[in-house]
Amino acid sequence: MKTVKTIFPAALAAIFFMAGYSCNKENNTMMNKNKTSSLSSLTLTAEQTTLSSNGTTKITASGVNVKSCCSLSYTWSASAGNITGNSAEITYKVPANSGQQTITCLAKDGCGKSQSKSIAITVQ
């Protein structure tokens, strides 16, 4: 009877360990599938690409494929002028001087992936 009392708890512990390992392995695989690629392609679209000095236009980042586990953050920059906003859509105010300006968006997800895209705006 002592042998059964000693073996039973060890066997029960082994069963729970294997069941837990199996579930964790499956969950980790599912999580990894969600984290493989949440950004497909990034495109930028401006309402206007040619503006008079001090004019404004909206610029939108789109074409991003987001998986359920990952949220996006956007970082915008411009060679000159002012950017208002920090989401997928911003308002860009061109500078007073004429020339071509470059606006860049860096989209990052919570899974470690990122993409960057630029668009040219001409100031007349």
Side-chain angles (χ1 to χ4, degrees):
M1 193 68 158
K2 278 187 171 182
T3 307
V4 171
K5 287 182 182 177
T6 307
I7 294 174
F8 182 72
L12 193 57
I15 290 169
F16 283 120
F17 173 78
M18 292 304 288
Y21 175 76
S22 172
C23 290
N24 287 337
K25 185 177 178 183
E26 183 178 318
N27 288 342
N28 286 340
T29 301
M30 289 174 72
M31 288 172 60
N32 287 338
K33 283 181 184 175
N34 287 339
K35 290 186 176 184
T36 54
S37 178
S38 64
L39 292 172
S40 59
S41 65
L42 179 64
T43 58
L44 301 182
T45 306
E47 286 182 343
Q48 298 174 298
T49 56
T50 302
L51 295 164
S52 300
S53 62
N54 294 314
T56 61
T57 188
K58 289 187 190 240
I59 302 175
T60 305
S62 61
V64 178
N65 179 20
V66 182
K67 301 268 183 171
S68 62
C69 75
C70 303
S71 60
L72 289 177
S73 64
Y74 300 90
T75 304
W76 293 86
S77 61
S79 55
N82 295 313
I83 293 173
T84 304
N86 60 1
S87 63
E89 183 178 281
I90 55 114
T91 300
Y92 173 63
K93 182 177 181 181
V94 300
N97 53 331
S98 62
Q100 185 169 315
Q101 306 303 326
T102 303
I103 296 77
T104 303
C105 176
L106 174 65
K108 291 183 181 179
D109 67 19
C111 301
K113 305 291 182 189
S114 64
Q115 280 194 11
S116 180
K117 197 72 163 189
S118 297
I119 190 169
I121 303 292
T122 302
V123 183
Q124 294 180 336

